[in-house]
């Protein structure tokens, strides 16, 4: 499958050596509230300032804090949660990208319970390297805001050899890169309130969930077709994991698509039908938009040499047409076996004569 430039990756490689930061701010919870703007909450009693900085949250006292970023948009290169309880971080958005050409990182190490981020995580538009690494070591990170990024952003989720790491989405991921699960312990969870967008371009070119991990999809898949090709049989693999590692939940849905049958989702755009199948996690252009059956299609019935001829003209060649018959207007209509026909503009069906028979044409 061809790929666009941005990549969301969940890998097991050992993390690279730490790079120097201008300032490291460590949360010590020394203030009277949980606001980032209170200097006493930081080890040096200094409020963080945007730049090539690291924020570090570690070794909570067991309480479940709700920390609040009230500093406006804070730009940083790294944020760590180490041995923390179930903390929730809310408030203003952050830009994870620092002010240098280096990439950025968010790390959860042996977090006792899930750490939930309610704010938005954006990229730093001023740096050349957009790479963002989410390092989850026996931890779960919950994205309850928006994790965004352009095509030049690389987002890497790294387990560093840990037994598990879960990226759970209850908000939305709009970053235009892959989610790469290269460890069997890596799990991507799209919860019922979550949304994840795959951007569809030319045939086979899109961002996807790839690798050898697992995916549990129970939220909303958004297939952005604004740049999609429209040639019949073009296809895109949306989830490239082994099918046995992919589970679609009861609340799973594809935004703007209709579930035409169990696990099959259709929509019409660019004059073509696009179909997503849960069975193989593939989006396919299945054909042109069906025409409505012409209103002028009608039946003509005539008796000839012991037979009844039922003829219809001006049929839609894109539809399947069948004849239904009843022994009286008050009787039940029964589809006549062997009468289904398609790809024709007119047709004639032959029946043995009987009294009080009525015929009708069904086009689907």
């Amino acid at each position: 499958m061809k790929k666009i430039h941005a990549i969301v990756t969940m890998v097991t490689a050992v993390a690279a050596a730490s790079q120097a930061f201008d300032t490291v701010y460590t949360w010590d919870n020394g203030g009277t509230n949980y606001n980032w703007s209170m200097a006493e909450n930081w080890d040096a009693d200094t409020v963080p300032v945007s730049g090539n900085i690291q924020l570090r949250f570690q070794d909570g006292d067991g309480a479940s804090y709700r920390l609040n970023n009230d500093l406006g948009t804070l730009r940083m290169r790294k944020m760590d949660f180490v041995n923390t309880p179930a903390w929730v971080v809310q408030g203003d958005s952050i830009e994870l990208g620092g002010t240098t050409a280096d990439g950025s990182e968010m790390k959860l190490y042996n977090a006792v319970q899930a750490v939930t981020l309610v704010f938005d995580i954006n990229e730093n538009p001023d740096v050349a390297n957009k790479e963002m690494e989410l390092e989850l070591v026996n931890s779960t990170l919950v994205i309850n805001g928006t994790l965004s990024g352009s095509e030049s952003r690389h987002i890497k989720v790294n387990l560093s050899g840990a037994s598990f790491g879960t990226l759970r989405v209850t908000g939305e991921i709009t970053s235009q890169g892959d989610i790469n699960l290269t460890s069997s312990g890596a799990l991507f969870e799209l919860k019922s309130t979550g949304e994840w967008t795959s951007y569809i371009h030319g045939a086979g070119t899109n961002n996807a969930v790839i690798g050898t991990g697992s995916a549990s999809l129970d939220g909303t898949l958004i297939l952005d077709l604004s740049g999609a090709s429209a040639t019949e049989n073009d296809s895109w693999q949306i989830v490239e994991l082994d099918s046995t590692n992919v589970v679609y939940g009861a609340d799973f849905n594809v935004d703007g698509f209709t579930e035409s049958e169990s696990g099959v989702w259709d929509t019409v755009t660019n004059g073509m039908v696009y179909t997503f199948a849960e069975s193989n996690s593939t989006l396919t252009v299945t054909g042109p938009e069906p025409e409505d059956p012409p209103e002028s299609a009608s039946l003509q019935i005539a008796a000839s040499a012991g037979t009844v001829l039922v003829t219809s003209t001006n049929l839609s060649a894109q539809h399947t047409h069948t004849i239904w018959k009843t022994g009286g207007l008050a009787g039940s209509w029964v589809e006549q076996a062997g009468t289904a026909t398609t790809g024709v503009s007119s047709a004639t069906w032959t029946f043995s004569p009987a009294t009080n028979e009525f015929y009708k044409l069904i086009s689907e």
Side-chain angles (χ1 to χ4, degrees):
M1 183 181 74
K2 302 175 185 176
K3 297 298 173 191
I4 58 180
H5 298 295
I7 303 176
V8 181
T9 310
M10 188 171 279
V11 300
T12 57
V14 176
S18 298
Q19 301 175 6
F21 301 96
D22 292 341
T23 309
V24 177
Y25 299 90
T26 300
W27 181 271
D28 63 10
N29 198 37
T32 58
N33 57 40
Y34 300 125
N35 293 332
W36 288 12
S37 63
M38 176 164 280
E40 292 79 6
N41 280 326
W42 303 97
D43 60 339
D45 291 343
T46 302
V47 175
V49 178
S50 288
N52 183 34
I53 67 171
Q54 173 186 357
L55 299 188
R56 185 175 178 85
F57 303 89
Q58 63 183 29
D59 302 321
D61 59 6
S64 296
Y65 299 148
R66 183 174 286 271
L67 312 184
N68 183 47
N69 174 21
D70 57 344
L71 298 176
T73 299
L74 188 65
R75 185 171 297 174
M76 67 192 71
R77 217 182 82 212
K78 187 174 183 180
M79 178 184 289
D80 286 353
F81 294 86
V82 180
N83 300 325
T84 56
W87 284 2
V88 174
V89 187
Q90 64 184 23
D92 299 325
S93 64
I94 66 169
E95 289 181 355
L96 203 54
T99 57
T100 73
D102 296 321
S104 59
E105 182 181 5
M106 181 177 294
K107 178 177 180 179
L108 277 73
Y109 182 81
N110 287 340
V112 178
Q113 299 181 55
V115 172
T116 302
L117 305 182
V118 185
F119 52 65
D120 295 341
I121 305 172
N122 304 316
E123 67 184 10
N124 182 350
D126 299 330
V127 298
N129 184 1
K130 309 292 186 181
E131 182 174 86
M132 171 182 158
E133 180 174 351
L134 299 179
E135 186 176 358
L136 308 179
V137 180
N138 297 328
S139 301
T140 297
L141 176 65
V142 181
I143 302 296
N144 196 30
T146 298
L147 175 58
S148 64
S150 66
E151 289 189 13
S152 60
R153 185 177 210 179
H154 300 270
I155 303 176
K156 188 181 293 183
V157 182
N158 184 358
L159 301 190
S160 293
S163 59
F164 77 90
T166 299
L167 177 60
R168 181 177 299 157
V169 180
T170 56
E172 57 182 337
I173 292 183
T174 61
S175 184
Q176 300 180 42
D178 292 336
I179 300 174
N180 190 349
L181 314 173
T182 65
S183 167
S184 60
L187 174 63
F188 173 59
E189 285 187 333
L190 185 66
K191 306 301 283 186
S192 61
T193 59
E195 298 179 353
W196 171 58
T197 301
S198 179
Y199 298 86
I200 310 300
H201 299 280
T205 304
N206 61 286
N207 56 305
V209 180
I210 65 176
T212 59
S214 302
S216 174
L217 306 177
D218 196 31
T220 299
L221 170 62
I222 300 175
L223 297 173
D224 187 329
L225 302 178
S226 59
S229 59
T231 302
E232 188 170 358
N233 296 321
D234 280 358
S235 65
W236 300 263
Q237 194 74 42
I238 307 303
V239 181
E240 293 189 18
L241 307 178
D242 188 299
S243 61
T244 60
N245 293 339
V246 182
V247 176
Y248 290 92
D251 291 326
F252 174 79
N253 66 97
V254 184
D255 184 58
F257 284 57
T258 300
E259 191 172 18
S260 57
E261 58 184 276
S262 181
V264 178
W265 302 81
D266 299 312
T267 193
V268 175
T269 190
N270 302 322
M272 303 295 283
V273 178
Y274 292 75
T275 300
F276 176 78
E278 295 178 19
S279 59
N280 57 10
S281 300
T282 299
L283 174 70
T284 304
V285 182
T286 52
E289 179 179 5
E291 298 176 358
D292 291 332
E295 295 181 359
S296 57
S298 59
L299 291 181
Q300 298 85 40
I301 302 174
S304 174
T307 61
V308 175
L309 303 180
V310 179
T311 302
S312 183
T313 58
N314 199 25
L315 298 173
S316 166
Q318 293 187 11
H319 290 77
T320 298
H321 312 280
T322 55
I323 296 296
W324 292 59
K325 185 171 67 170
T326 181
L329 288 179
S332 297
W333 288 95
V334 178
E335 180 180 355
Q336 300 304 289
T339 63
T341 185
T342 189
V344 297
S345 58
S346 64
T348 297
W349 297 268
T350 302
F351 299 97
S352 299
T355 59
N356 296 323
E357 282 190 334
F358 295 86
Y359 301 86
K360 69 178 180 180
L361 174 71
I362 299 294
S363 299
E364 297 178 305

